[in-house]
Amino acid sequence: MLPVKGMVLFVNVDHAVVVGRPRSLAAIAQAASSEDKSILVLAQRNQEAVDPAPDELYEIGTLARIHRLERHADDLVSLVLHGATRVRIRKIDTSRPWMEAEYDMLPLPDDSSDSIEAMYRDIMDKAHELEGIGAEGWAKGIAARVLQALKDPLEQVYALASLLRLDVPMQQRIHAAPTRAEAVQLVHEAIVHEVKVQVLQLEIAQQAASNVSAEQREYMLRQQMEAIQKQLGEDGGAGDELADLRSEIEAAELPPEPAKVAHKELDRLARMQPASQDYQVALSYLKLIAELPWNRASADNLDLAEARRVLDARHYGLGEVKDRIIEYLAVRKLNPDAASSILCFVGGPGVGKTSLGASIAEALGREFERISLGGLHDEAELRGHRRTYIGAMPGRLIQALRRKGVNNPLIVLDEIDKLGRDYRGDPAAALMEILDPSQNRDFRDNYLDLSFDLSKVFFVLTANTLDSIPGPLLDRMEILRLPGYSEDEKVHIAARHLLPAQLREVRLTADQIQVPEATLRAIVRGYTREAGVRELNRQLARVVRKCAVPFASGQDTAVSVTADQLKTLLGAERFSRASLRENALPGVVTGLAWTEAGGDVLFVEAVKTPGGKGLTLTGQLGDVMKESAQAAFSYLWSQATALNIDPALFQQSGVHIHVPAGAIPKDGPSAGVTMATALVSLFTGRPVRADTAMTGEITLAGLVMPVGGVREKALAAHRAGITRVVLPHANLQDLDKLEPGVRAAIEFIPATNLQQVFAAALAG
């Protein structure tokens, strides 16, 4: 047990104590050697007692933990105690070199009422009022930090009570109060009294200073400040720095509100000591205001032909996206005050979403900045931290504008679908204001705390999928889908962009390492299967590196890579254009699926299970996909006679449907047509054509409903060497934007009902 003078340790409050009495030092040594470092803290009734007796101590104290302990050379120990819980002392033992006590836990009271809530709110208002007055011990922001650190209102009241200059009996009454109502009432009376005293003291000081004119007072203070700085050797540097900063602020041509705040902060900064922490905080804030591009903007390049040339030079294909950029430039040319667009590029990895943003910036003649949102959890990363926090800084948007020096850059917000959300806030909610043209004209960063116009910024967002983006945020964007590249487009991109870039990496020329179009096509077909071109770029890098080895050894003979050499350079082909199921048994059907990485080909397998019953589904299928299988099974059973299937087959054996690969989760309604065809093939004994794939949702009436991602699925079928695709009739319009080469290579068969699907898919 540790008796203390002049203070009461409240629950969940930290308090620094200096100890020098022998009995107290012995108690601290015992507590410090224990595992949990706990010690009982009791306030003395008699503040003059050097070695207090048990009856000179209060019976209600605090069980505390030693957080920090430091020994000094003069037999003193300083420590920081953290109050854990209230206790009531039963018995005190003084027979040892230290004091020990037996105690009972005394939980905090939990009563509540409207009057308690009213007094609690008034206490918080009075605490903020003391901050505004500048009362001793009430630094600006201290009440907010107390509220943030403690969740229980009673513990918050205790913490505020520890900041008031109360005598020990009053502190003990608050600590020992049996009800919340009594504790809150006591603190309320104390803080109301403190506010009255501080207000009166402030009025007296103001009256005393009113006899001196403002000019005289400022002159006297500046003379005193200069004299102090000369004595400290600090004159010269700070004055020059402030003069330069004042000149920068004048040259920045600030709007009225920032100008007013900047000059006010400058005057306050001039009265601070350069060595103080607040000086550096205020200086950094003023530098931010001076460096932000309040009225500086770059001129847009409104030459439509030149913009088209830049886009075509940087990216192959993507006609829809390029047309949209030209439309934007045309509108800007006709109406320079038009609001900036907010484009969202959606597509698989490696299709060029981020690099397309850089190309747009080059075409517009704007500054380019990329901000990655992947894994971002803290809203303050976008809105900034308030200046009351240590190490506060502006949000990423304000920092980007500061770096670029213009208020109309093109900013790519990358991977918006990967945003996180936790106790630190929801960044997606902050983006709703940032991306809304009707709101971002008055965007307020928490650190800057001034309105900044973001409406001139051209925002481009990228995502692999839209599923995880909140609806209200999605509503503020214009969605442009990048479905992926066809084989011809990949060959062109490889020859025009990827291969030259890889040759530059090894500092060789196209004359030294030649990769013909046939070889590029063989790499695309045999070693890649993706919507984008990242894997293609990696394979080209491997080829170039292997061909560069002889040149590093002194060879100067040009190398031409043929398709036959790829097996040596890259190993065996990873993918085959031929169908994987050329000799498929009845019940096996090729389907088309959409994934975040673009379209893909999957197989649905169905077998009879003699002696079994019903439908068994495997392959990590989602609920929607399971329901599609059940709907297909029910439809076939109901239409068995019309399909020349013996209805008894449905009762004699069960059916097992499996969708490889079993380790990958799958879901969605678009496999309904594929599952129905697999079941028909199984029960009729007719195999499905190996060159045919299909997609579509079904109903119990046998109708084929439209699905999404048809363009991506068509590209996947083309990559897999499939030449016939059965799809819903309503999805024919989705083929209008498909590349001519893909449309020519695949026969698209529209279907409105399952009868048409079966007729097109079943052999014979």
Side-chain angles (χ1 to χ4, degrees):
M1 190 183 72
L2 175 67
V4 293
K5 296 190 294 184
M7 53 85 71
V8 172
L9 181 62
F10 291 96
V11 174
N12 254 343
V13 173
D14 292 344
H15 207 295
V17 180
V18 178
V19 178
R21 294 184 288 194
R23 188 183 288 269
S24 297
L25 291 174
I28 291 170
Q30 289 296 315
S33 63
S34 66
E35 184 176 352
D36 60 356
K37 295 181 172 48
S38 296
I39 191 168
L40 282 172
V41 179
L42 282 183
Q44 296 183 196
R45 297 179 186 272
N46 180 7
Q47 303 300 310
E48 305 300 326
V50 176
D51 188 11
D55 60 351
E56 292 181 304
L57 301 172
Y58 288 103
E59 66 173 340
I60 293 179
T62 307
L63 180 62
R65 289 184 176 84
I66 300 174
H67 272 192
R68 188 167 65 248
L69 186 148
E70 185 177 352
R71 302 184 185 276
H72 302 280
D74 47 358
D75 294 331
L76 294 178
V77 171
S78 60
L79 64 156
V80 175
L81 299 172
H82 176 78
T85 184
R86 293 193 311 172
V87 298
R88 184 186 299 277
I89 303 301
R90 293 203 311 264
K91 178 183 177 182
I92 296 177
D93 181 7
T94 59
S95 61
R96 299 172 182 265
W98 57 86
M99 301 179 75
E100 290 186 351
E102 297 177 3
Y103 63 89
D104 295 319
M105 294 290 189
L106 189 62
L108 296 180
D110 58 357
D111 54 306
S112 62
S113 67
D114 293 341
S115 61
I116 294 176
E117 177 67 20
M119 283 189 293
Y120 167 73
R121 293 185 181 182
D122 195 47
I123 288 173
M124 296 303 150
D125 292 340
K126 292 294 188 292
H128 290 296
E129 191 174 343
L130 284 172
E131 287 184 9
I133 295 172
E136 182 180 353
W138 292 81
K140 188 172 182 180
I142 193 169
R145 289 196 294 272
V146 168
L147 296 177
Q148 185 178 18
L150 302 171
K151 302 303 180 186
D152 189 339
L154 182 59
E155 294 178 359
Q156 294 176 355
V157 169
Y158 283 164
L160 293 175
S162 68
L163 298 175
L164 296 169
R165 290 175 290 185
L166 304 176
D167 56 21
V168 172
M170 183 61 174
Q171 292 185 53
Q172 186 65 29
R173 286 181 61 194
I174 296 170
H175 187 236
T179 64
R180 287 180 179 244
E182 183 177 341
V184 172
Q185 175 69 33
L186 291 171
V187 175
H188 184 264
E189 293 174 0
I191 200 168
V192 168
H193 173 73
E194 184 68 17
V195 169
K196 289 180 180 179
V197 172
Q198 291 291 341
V199 170
L200 183 60
Q201 184 177 348
L202 183 63
E203 290 177 354
I204 294 172
Q206 290 174 344
Q207 291 174 0
S210 62
N211 296 328
V212 182
S213 66
E215 292 80 4
Q216 290 176 322
R217 182 170 178 272
E218 184 175 351
Y219 174 77
M220 291 168 56
L221 289 173
R222 289 191 180 278
Q223 292 296 318
Q224 292 175 4
M225 184 175 66
E226 290 177 6
I228 293 172
Q229 287 178 342
K230 288 180 180 179
Q231 291 294 325
L232 295 174
E234 296 177 351
D235 59 317
D240 294 342
E241 189 175 35
L242 287 179
D244 294 341
L245 188 56
R246 193 179 296 273
S247 300
E248 291 179 18
I249 291 175
E250 294 296 336
E253 300 179 359
L254 305 179
E257 182 190 8
K260 179 180 177 181
V261 171
H263 286 98
K264 181 179 178 181
E265 287 291 320
L266 268 174
D267 294 339
R268 190 171 74 90
L269 190 65
R271 297 190 293 270
M272 292 184 185
Q273 290 295 330
S276 70
Q277 182 178 356
D278 288 343
Y279 181 91
Q280 298 301 323
V281 172
L283 184 65
S284 299
Y285 178 63
L286 284 170
K287 285 183 177 180
L288 173 65
I289 293 178
E291 293 173 6
L292 279 177
W294 300 93
N295 297 304
R296 296 192 300 272
S298 60
D300 283 342
N301 173 26
L302 300 179
D303 186 342
L304 304 187
E306 175 63 16
R308 172 70 75 174
R309 186 197 65 77
V310 171
L311 291 173
D312 289 340
R314 293 287 299 271
H315 284 268
Y316 181 75
L318 304 178
E320 181 182 359
V321 178
K322 294 176 182 177
D323 290 343
R324 180 63 187 85
I325 301 306
I326 298 302
E327 291 168 8
Y328 170 79
L329 285 176
V331 172
R332 292 284 296 179
K333 191 170 185 177
L334 297 173
N335 180 15
D337 297 327
S340 294
S341 299
I342 299 169
L343 305 181
C344 181
F345 297 147
V346 181
V351 297
K353 301 184 295 295
T354 306
S355 60
L356 185 59
S359 300
I360 295 172
E362 182 181 345
L364 293 175
R366 292 197 181 190
E367 294 290 334
F368 173 75
E369 181 75 12
R370 172 184 170 273
I371 299 176
S372 177
L373 301 181
L376 188 70
H377 288 78
D378 193 351
E379 180 185 339
E381 290 286 336
L382 296 173
R383 287 188 178 274
H385 304 79
R386 299 196 181 278
R387 296 197 307 278
T388 53
Y389 294 101
I390 296 175
M393 57 194 306
R396 294 191 185 186
L397 287 168
I398 294 298
Q399 292 182 46
L401 294 171
R402 182 184 193 177
R403 283 193 298 270
K404 295 306 172 184
V406 291
N407 60 12
N408 65 337
L410 186 145
I411 297 181
V412 171
L413 300 177
D414 219 1
E415 306 290 354
I416 191 173
D417 56 325
K418 308 299 190 303
L419 275 176
R421 179 181 181 182
D422 59 15
Y423 67 93
R424 288 167 288 188
D426 184 3
L431 279 175
M432 283 194 284
E433 177 194 2
I434 293 169
L435 298 179
D436 194 331
S438 63
Q439 299 180 34
N440 61 14
R441 294 179 182 276
D442 297 312
F443 173 71
R444 278 187 178 267
D445 183 271
N446 289 331
Y447 181 89
L448 184 62
D449 199 23
L450 294 170
S451 294
F452 195 94
D453 186 2
L454 294 180
S455 63
K456 297 181 177 63
V457 178
F458 192 154
F459 287 105
V460 174
L461 294 85
T462 72
N464 294 131
T465 178
L466 301 179
D467 297 341
S468 59
I469 303 176
L473 179 58
L474 199 61
D475 187 56
R476 287 160 170 79
M477 311 174 196
E478 180 179 346
I479 307 300
L480 292 176
R481 295 187 179 274
L482 281 65
Y485 299 108
S486 65
E487 179 182 297
D488 291 338
E489 288 178 323
K490 289 183 179 180
V491 171
H492 191 99
I493 292 170
R496 184 173 174 180
H497 299 283
L498 304 182
L499 183 59
Q502 293 299 334
L503 290 174
R504 285 194 296 271
E505 285 291 319
V506 296
R507 297 192 176 181
L508 295 174
T509 66
D511 294 331
Q512 293 172 295
I513 298 180
Q514 301 168 8
V515 184
E517 180 181 330
T519 305
L520 294 176
R521 193 173 299 275
I523 295 175
V524 171
R525 288 182 177 179
Y527 296 90
T528 67
R529 184 157 292 177
E530 56 179 341
V533 291
R534 283 196 182 139
E535 182 61 27
L536 175 58
N537 192 36
R538 283 191 283 267
Q539 297 298 336
L540 285 173
R542 291 180 61 190
V543 171
V544 171
R545 286 197 302 268
K546 290 180 182 295
C547 293
V549 172
F551 289 96
S553 303
Q555 174 184 316
D556 56 2
T557 305
V559 175
S560 179
V561 182
T562 64
D564 295 334
Q565 295 174 315
L566 292 180
K567 189 172 184 179
T568 303
L569 296 173
L570 300 178
E573 286 189 356
R574 297 169 55 191
F575 306 100
S576 174
R577 288 278 293 186
S579 173
L580 299 178
R581 304 283 179 152
E582 287 185 355
N583 300 314
L585 299 173
V588 179
V589 184
T590 304
L592 298 173
W594 181 90
T595 68
E596 292 185 11
D600 199 3
V601 174
L602 57 80
F603 296 96
V604 174
E605 302 174 336
V607 296
K608 297 176 186 176
T609 54
K613 288 186 179 181
L615 192 61
T616 302
L617 302 171
T618 56
Q620 284 214 54
L621 308 185
D623 291 338
V624 176
M625 207 164 181
K626 291 178 180 177
E627 291 171 357
S628 296
Q630 188 63 55
F633 187 75
S634 299
Y635 170 77
L636 291 183
W637 199 339
S638 67
Q639 300 294 321
T641 303
L643 295 171
N644 294 323
I645 300 174
D646 184 2
L649 293 176
F650 292 90
Q651 297 176 336
Q652 294 171 356
S653 64
V655 175
H656 185 165
I657 295 179
H658 178 68
V659 184
I664 301 175
K666 313 165 191 71
D667 202 6
S670 61
V673 163
T674 311
M675 290 182 170
T677 306
L679 291 174
V680 167
S681 173
L682 176 67
F683 284 116
T684 61
R686 294 186 177 186
V688 176
R689 291 181 54 161
D691 60 351
T692 302
M694 59 191 66
T695 183
E697 183 180 359
I698 62 170
T699 69
L700 284 176
L703 299 178
V704 178
M705 308 298 292
V707 292
V710 170
R711 192 177 176 190
E712 290 86 346
K713 293 173 183 177
L715 289 173
H718 184 253
R719 287 195 296 268
I722 291 169
T723 58
R724 299 173 78 245
V725 171
V726 181
L727 77 166
H729 190 280
N731 285 123
L732 282 179
Q733 59 185 0
D734 296 330
L735 303 177
D736 293 341
K737 298 175 183 178
L738 202 60
E739 288 69 18
V742 178
R743 293 205 63 174
I746 297 178
E747 177 189 0
F748 292 97
I749 305 170
T752 57
N753 56 63
L754 283 175
Q755 294 282 359
Q756 296 172 349
V757 174
F758 301 154
L762 295 178

